[in-house]
């Protein structure tokens, strides 16, 4: 959760007529694939935004950044940027407020009476890309507040506030009657046996004793997180009698103590710290150390989510299915056992032995989102908890969030229209000349830098009406261009192109081993070497950790069939064609295995390194064409990988079996050079070749069942989004299968 508050001491920039100053600031917030922009504050040096947003944080996402000004004719004047680690917010939450190991509950206060909301405030100085004239007079800052909360903590606060409405005697305890009434209001299908087990779990008599709030929440969370395979089936002989009188698709309604019906919108979700509510009268310090309530069993799956319960019907026979209809119930009927029995699969085949559910709400009563019952139960309660949070329930309504990248959020409307006409669609995974990648180090979405004429030329060549690239004239043209470009960049005169290339792509020259003046040609600079510590290898002691072979735009797929469905669209593409005659007999070993694509753009470091430990096999060069490996070409009917010039380098690895590295040349690439010999042993991260000028690609093929890719790489691959990675970065883990 983030709140952009204000900026201070912004500079006065000259307006277009140079007769006065302008400053119309706005903030772009970029976090992984999520990009937001605040409203524009007109003519202000100290703007107040006070805008909030809420978003999901994955394990591998890290930074926010960017502060810009609405001023320039085509885009916007860049003022500065700042960023911070989300781990700071996580640390602020967990400092004294982590989950209790014995109870599994989150005390949302800090235990000291300070900052009960857990919000952390930042006042960050804005950095500029290069020294600006106004920096001597101005020191701009941006103020913001951030807050991290696990979904489990949100759910627990929701449970506390909701359970309080059924605690009729304000004891902080719930009887069997009160608990059953609360479950009825959620459309619960828990059987009487399951509800009784809530009490027996804590050695209590369900008819004479009551559960504390903490005990009730633990039982509810355990049921929410229970895998479907472990859930009790309704209609069985051991269900103890089905005793719920509730409609399966209720609107969450309840009555106050005078009998007046209340909707969820009317409930008060503010209040004292969670520890005080679930253990009334127990001091905070004692609550954190309390061992009086045993921890819930570990039923939660990874990431805290179940598979959607698609087999659960929206309603039972005779139940109302309109989520907006008024729902009422009586306490007596919910306990007396007078509810209609659950129909069997014979009387209602669509139910096919449905499982118990804690909650069965079809439409959210707060935001009116439909089809909630298709989600996992834990996700339904999480959704309700977020909607019910009064501090953050109106997020994403002011902040504009329909941008793909931070740079797109800076542009004016007519600039975006011109870009669409010349380069195609601007969205993640689009097959267009706008190539968007995600930087794995920062989580930011970035546009791949290329000259405008190159971008437009690729679009015209590969998106032509009649697929003109398949013509022999185009083949001869590309081959001729590649040879001529190679000759040009091998000449001493090409040295003059080095500094403009560095400036255009903003290359970090501090990583380069040799000084710029030492390069005698552009190609020597192009396949430059880096300092020995510039690319450390991930998990150096773990040979089962596969690492990146290149600085590149990376795509990972679990199988070849997935790669051809999502990315490689060549009509004639096949593993046998890719490997050529020398290895066609081994092609069948890789058809069901994982596949990786390392695409090197011209601005990338162009030496490639071994992704695994192993011995180099017999290398084979296959002559071919010089099509570009740009994604727009890969996603046409052309079999770029199977037709381009390439070199096959087998690596026999004890951990991954025989790994096939296919080094593919491309447009403007005249040389594929390997720096290892057949039979040589290479370690992960060791160099084994380089490409001369141009774009190029390495395709890695694995046998079936030897590798599991990292989660973020698979997610991006399925979205047709390339990930920017560097040599030595960990990509996946071996499944402990060596060479047979």
């Amino acid at each position: 959760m983030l709140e952009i508050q204000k900026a201070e001491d912004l500079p006065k920039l000259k307006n277009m007529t140079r007769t006065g100053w302008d400053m119309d600031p706005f903030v772009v917030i970029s976090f992984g694939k999520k990009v937001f922009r605040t409203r524009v504050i007109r003519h202000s040096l100290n703007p107040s935004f006070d805008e909030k947003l809420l978003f999901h944080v994955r394990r591998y996402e890290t930074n926010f950044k960017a502060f810009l000004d609405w001023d320039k004719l085509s885009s916007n004047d860049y003022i500065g940027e700042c960023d911070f680690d989300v781990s700071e917010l996580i640390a602020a939450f967990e400092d004294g407020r982590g989950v209790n190991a014995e109870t599994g509950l989150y005390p949302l206060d800090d235990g000291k009476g300070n900052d009960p909301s857990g919000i952390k405030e930042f006042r960050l100085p804005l950095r500029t890309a290069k020294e600006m004239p106004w920096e001597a007079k101005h020191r701009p800052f941006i103020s913001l507040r951030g807050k991290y909360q696990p979904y489990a903590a949100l759910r627990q606060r929701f449970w506390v506030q909701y359970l309080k409405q059924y605690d009729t005697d304000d004891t902080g305890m719930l009887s069997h009657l009160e608990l059953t009434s609360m479950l009825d209001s959620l459309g619960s299908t828990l059987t009487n046996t399951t509800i009784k087990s809530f009490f027996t779990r804590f050695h209590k008599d369900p008819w004479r004793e009551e559960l504390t709030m903490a005990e009730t929440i633990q039982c509810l969370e355990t049921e929410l997180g229970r895998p479907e395979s472990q859930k009790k089936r309704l209609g069985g002989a051991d269900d103890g009698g089905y005793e719920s009188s509730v409609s399966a698709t209720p609107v969450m309604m309840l009555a106050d103590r005078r009998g007046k019906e209340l909707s969820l919108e009317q409930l008060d979700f503010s209040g004292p710290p969670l520890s005080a509510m679930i253990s009334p009268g127990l001091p905070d310090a004692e609550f954190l150390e309390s061992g009086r309530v045993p921890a819930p069993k570990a039923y939660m799956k990874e990431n805290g989510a179940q598979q959607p319960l698609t087999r659960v019907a929206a309603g039972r026979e005779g139940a109302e299915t309109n989520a907006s209809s008024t729902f009422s119930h009586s306490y007596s009927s919910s306990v007396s056992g007078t509810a209609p029995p659950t129909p069997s699969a014979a009387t209602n085949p669509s139910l096919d032995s449905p499982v118990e559910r804690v909650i069965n709400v079809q439409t959210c009563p707060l935001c009116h989102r439909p089809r909630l019952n298709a989600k996992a139960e834990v996700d339904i309660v999480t959704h309700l908890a977020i909607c019910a949070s009064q501090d953050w329930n109106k997020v994403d309504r002011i902040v504009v969030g329909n941008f793909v990248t931070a740079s797109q959020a800076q542009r004016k409307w007519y600039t975006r229209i011109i870009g669409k006409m010349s380069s195609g669609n601007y969205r993640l995974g689009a097959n267009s000349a706008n190539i968007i990648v995600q930087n794995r180090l920062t989580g930011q979405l970035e546009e791949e830098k290329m000259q405008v004429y190159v971008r437009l030329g690729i679009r015209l060549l590969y998106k032509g009406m009649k697929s003109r690239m398949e013509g022999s004239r185009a083949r001869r043209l590309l081959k001729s261009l590649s040879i001529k470009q190679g000759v040009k960049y091998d000449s001493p005169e090409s040295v003059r192109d080095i500094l403009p290339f560095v400036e255009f792509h903003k290359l970090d020259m501090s990583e380069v081993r040799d000084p710029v003046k030492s390069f005698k040609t552009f190609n020597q600079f192009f396949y430059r070497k880096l300092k020995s510590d510039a690319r450390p290898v991930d998990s150096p002691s773990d040979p089962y950790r596969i690492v990146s072979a290149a600085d590149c735009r990376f795509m990972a797929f679990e199988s070849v069939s997935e790669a051809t469905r999502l990315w490689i669209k060549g009509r004639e593409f096949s593993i046998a064609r890719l490997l050529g005659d020398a290895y066609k007999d081994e092609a069948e070993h890789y058809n069901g295995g994982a596949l990786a694509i390392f695409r090197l753009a011209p601005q990338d470091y162009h030496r490639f390194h071994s992704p695994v430990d192993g011995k180099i096999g017999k290398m084979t060069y296959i002559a071919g064409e010089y099509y570009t490996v740009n994604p727009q070409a890969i996603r046409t009917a052309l079999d770029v990988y199977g037709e381009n010039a390439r070199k096959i380098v087998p690596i026999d690895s004890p951990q991954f079996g025989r790994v096939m590295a296919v080094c593919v040349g491309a447009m403007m690439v005249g040389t594929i050079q390997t720096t290892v010999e057949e039979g040589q042993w290479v370690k992960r991260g060791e160099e084994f070749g380089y490409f001369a000028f141009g774009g190029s690609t390495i395709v890695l093929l694995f046998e079936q069942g030897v590798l599991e890719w990292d989660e973020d790489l698979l997610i991006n691959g399925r979205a047709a989004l390339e990930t920017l990675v560097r040599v030595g970065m960990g990509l996946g883990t071996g499944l402990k299968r060596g060479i047979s």
Side-chain angles (χ1 to χ4, degrees):
M1 306 172 185
L2 192 68
E3 180 179 1
I4 308 299
Q5 295 176 301
K6 62 182 179 179
E8 305 169 63
D9 197 23
L10 298 180
K12 294 182 178 181
L13 300 184
K14 293 290 185 181
N15 58 19
M16 289 182 62
T17 62
R18 318 299 290 180
T19 58
W21 64 273
D22 252 339
M23 175 54 64
D24 301 332
F26 61 91
V27 180
V28 174
I29 307 100
S30 177
F31 183 83
K33 302 182 188 73
K34 297 168 280 291
V35 180
F36 305 89
R37 193 190 72 192
T38 66
R39 70 187 187 280
V40 178
I41 306 294
R42 298 292 180 184
H43 210 64
S44 176
L45 301 179
N46 298 282
S48 293
F49 298 99
D50 294 324
E51 299 188 20
K52 302 173 184 177
L53 60 148
L54 179 147
F55 45 83
H56 175 73
V57 178
R58 297 183 182 275
R59 292 189 297 270
Y60 45 82
E61 296 177 326
T62 52
N63 289 331
F64 299 88
K65 63 173 59 177
F67 187 91
L68 302 120
D69 163 47
W70 187 281
D71 199 46
K72 193 185 291 184
L73 181 64
S74 61
S75 184
N76 295 283
D77 289 339
Y78 172 83
I79 302 302
E81 68 181 32
C82 59
D83 59 69
F84 67 90
D85 262 343
V86 172
S87 58
E88 295 182 49
L89 297 180
I90 298 174
F93 175 83
E94 293 178 346
D95 184 17
R97 290 169 295 181
V99 63
N100 187 297
E102 298 203 12
T103 66
L105 300 176
Y106 284 91
L108 297 189
D109 61 305
D110 62 3
K112 303 174 184 177
N114 299 319
D115 188 22
S117 66
I119 290 179
K120 184 176 177 63
E121 296 192 358
F122 296 88
R123 187 172 181 267
L124 304 174
L126 297 182
R127 303 187 306 269
T128 57
K130 56 185 178 180
E131 190 171 342
M132 303 296 288
W134 49 261
E135 288 190 85
K137 298 180 180 179
H138 300 275
R139 290 289 183 269
F141 284 83
I142 184 168
S143 298
L144 54 92
R145 300 194 305 162
K147 178 181 179 181
Y148 165 80
Q149 261 193 314
Y151 283 144
L154 285 172
R155 286 198 307 273
Q156 289 171 20
R157 180 172 285 280
F158 171 80
W159 283 127
V160 167
Q161 299 290 0
Y162 199 64
L163 290 169
K164 282 175 61 180
Q165 315 303 320
Y166 289 88
D167 180 17
T168 56
D169 50 5
D170 284 333
T171 61
M173 312 279 281
L174 289 173
S175 66
H176 186 284
L177 175 66
E178 292 167 337
L179 177 59
T180 306
S181 300
M182 185 278 295
L183 291 171
D184 277 356
S185 72
L186 298 176
S188 172
T189 58
L190 294 183
T191 63
N192 190 41
T193 300
T194 300
I195 297 174
K196 287 180 180 178
S197 72
F198 287 13
F199 291 81
T200 57
R201 173 177 173 175
F202 300 104
H203 312 292
K204 293 186 176 182
D205 185 336
W207 308 114
R208 295 183 177 86
E209 297 181 271
E210 297 183 333
L211 293 175
T212 66
M213 291 286 186
E215 292 167 344
T216 307
I217 292 171
Q218 289 180 78
C219 293
L220 292 170
E221 287 288 293
T222 299
E223 289 300 318
L224 285 178
R226 195 186 299 275
E228 186 178 5
S229 60
Q230 298 181 21
K231 288 180 179 288
K232 184 179 295 183
R233 299 283 167 176
L234 297 177
D238 61 343
D239 64 6
Y242 187 71
E243 296 188 357
S244 176
S245 63
V246 67
S247 163
T249 57
V251 173
M252 296 174 62
M253 306 289 283
L254 52 94
D256 64 14
R257 288 165 192 169
R258 294 185 177 88
K260 180 182 178 182
E261 199 168 60
L262 299 175
S263 67
L264 188 59
E265 294 97 322
Q266 295 174 278
L267 299 185
D268 180 12
F269 281 89
S270 61
L274 184 59
S275 58
M277 292 188 283
I278 61 179
S279 298
L282 189 64
D284 295 331
E286 292 183 30
F287 171 79
L288 293 174
E289 299 175 359
S290 171
R292 72 183 205 178
V293 182
K297 296 180 181 179
Y299 286 113
M300 296 297 290
K301 296 178 70 176
E302 186 179 357
N303 298 332
Q306 300 170 267
Q307 297 299 314
L309 301 178
T310 53
R311 289 187 292 173
V312 179
R316 299 195 304 277
E317 187 174 332
E320 295 190 58
T321 58
N322 185 349
S324 62
S325 61
T326 302
F327 167 72
S328 61
H329 63 273
S330 64
Y331 290 168
S332 58
S333 65
S334 66
V335 181
S336 63
T338 59
T342 304
S344 65
T347 59
N348 191 347
S350 66
L351 289 180
D352 187 25
S353 187
V355 298
E356 290 184 315
R357 301 195 73 174
V358 173
I359 186 169
N360 196 12
V361 177
Q362 191 172 48
T363 302
C364 176
L366 296 176
C367 71
H368 307 293
R369 179 174 178 174
R371 297 184 296 279
L372 280 185
N373 60 324
K375 291 180 171 290
E377 292 176 89
V378 68
D379 295 331
I380 297 174
V381 178
T382 300
H383 176 93
L384 293 173
I386 293 173
C387 285
S389 174
Q390 285 192 344
D391 288 339
W392 298 92
N393 67 337
K394 293 183 179 179
V395 297
D396 291 347
R397 296 187 184 178
I398 300 174
V399 175
V400 181
N402 58 341
F403 299 101
V404 179
T405 64
S407 60
Q408 186 202 21
Q410 303 165 26
R411 300 173 189 163
K412 294 188 175 179
W413 65 270
Y414 45 83
T415 310
R416 294 197 292 269
I417 291 175
I418 294 171
K420 179 176 177 62
M421 291 189 297
S422 62
S423 304
N425 288 335
Y426 196 97
R427 58 180 173 82
L428 296 183
N431 184 12
S432 71
N434 292 307
I435 303 174
I436 300 169
V437 300
Q438 183 175 28
N439 189 323
R440 202 184 189 200
L441 287 174
T442 65
Q444 303 302 301
L445 295 174
E446 301 176 1
E447 289 181 69
E448 186 167 312
K449 291 206 69 174
M450 65 178 74
Q451 299 284 2
V452 174
Y453 68 87
V454 175
R455 190 189 303 268
L456 183 58
I458 289 175
R459 176 167 170 78
L460 292 175
L461 286 171
Y462 289 91
K463 298 290 284 185
M465 292 292 290
K466 297 182 179 178
S467 191
R468 65 191 73 178
M469 286 303 297
E470 297 189 56
S472 59
R473 180 180 300 177
R475 293 171 187 248
R476 290 195 302 270
L477 172 64
L478 289 179
K479 188 168 185 176
S480 174
L481 283 173
S482 295
I483 294 172
K484 288 179 180 178
Q485 198 72 10
V487 171
K488 174 186 175 182
Y489 284 142
D490 278 331
S491 68
E493 291 79 12
S494 63
V495 172
R496 70 187 69 168
D497 295 321
I498 295 177
L499 289 179
F501 185 85
V502 171
E503 179 67 22
F504 179 75
H505 292 293
K506 294 181 171 57
L507 302 183
D508 183 4
M509 296 304 294
S510 66
E511 299 178 332
V512 180
R513 188 187 70 176
D514 303 314
V516 174
K517 293 182 179 179
S518 67
F519 300 112
K520 305 303 181 185
T521 67
F522 184 87
N523 251 337
Q524 285 185 9
F525 165 76
F526 189 76
Y527 47 77
R528 60 199 174 274
K529 291 190 174 183
L530 302 183
K531 295 176 181 177
S532 58
D533 59 350
R535 297 292 184 269
V537 174
D538 184 39
S539 304
S541 61
D542 183 7
Y544 288 95
R545 184 67 170 157
I546 185 174
V547 299
S548 176
D551 284 16
C552 63
R553 290 91 175 99
F554 179 79
M555 294 288 281
F557 301 100
E558 292 181 301
S559 66
V560 174
S561 60
E562 184 182 52
T564 54
R565 177 173 57 87
L566 297 172
W567 191 250
I568 305 172
K569 300 299 184 182
R571 284 196 300 260
E572 299 180 15
F573 174 82
S574 67
I575 297 300
R577 194 161 189 254
L578 176 67
L579 295 178
D581 294 338
Y583 291 104
K584 63 181 180 181
D585 294 337
E586 299 185 33
E588 62 182 20
H589 298 157
Y590 302 96
N591 282 327
L595 179 146
I597 300 171
F598 302 78
R599 180 177 67 85
L600 288 73
Q603 58 266 39
D604 290 324
Y605 164 64
H606 260 62
R607 290 182 178 266
F608 44 89
H609 299 244
S610 179
V612 298
D613 294 344
K615 185 171 71 173
I616 301 296
K618 182 180 179 181
M619 296 179 282
T620 304
Y621 179 79
I622 302 174
E625 306 300 336
Y626 292 88
Y627 296 128
T628 178
V629 289
N630 182 289
Q632 200 165 7
I634 301 304
R635 299 169 77 179
T636 65
L638 284 170
D639 179 16
V640 174
Y641 298 141
E643 292 196 32
N644 273 21
R646 57 200 183 277
K647 194 166 190 176
I648 316 298
V649 183
I651 306 175
D652 294 311
S653 169
Q655 293 77 29
F656 297 92
R658 170 159 278 200
V659 179
M660 287 292 189
V662 184
C663 308
V664 183
M667 188 167 64
M668 309 302 175
V669 173
T671 303
I672 307 171
Q673 183 66 48
T674 50
T675 56
V676 292
E677 303 292 336
E678 181 180 342
Q680 179 179 336
W681 184 269
V682 292
K683 294 183 178 180
R684 292 177 307 135
E686 284 188 6
E687 178 192 316
F688 74 95
Y690 63 85
F691 293 103
F693 178 75
S696 42
T697 285
I698 300 168
V699 179
L700 284 188
L701 303 174
F702 295 87
E703 296 171 353
Q704 187 171 0
V706 302
L707 171 68
E708 182 178 55
W709 297 115
D710 288 353
E711 176 192 19
D712 61 317
L713 301 174
L714 285 177
I715 289 173
N716 283 358
R718 291 165 187 157
L721 175 65
E722 294 175 298
T723 306
L724 196 61
V725 300
R726 295 167 33 135
V727 169
M729 187 178 286
L731 304 177
T733 305
L735 299 178
K736 312 299 183 184
R737 281 186 53 191
I739 300 177
S740 59

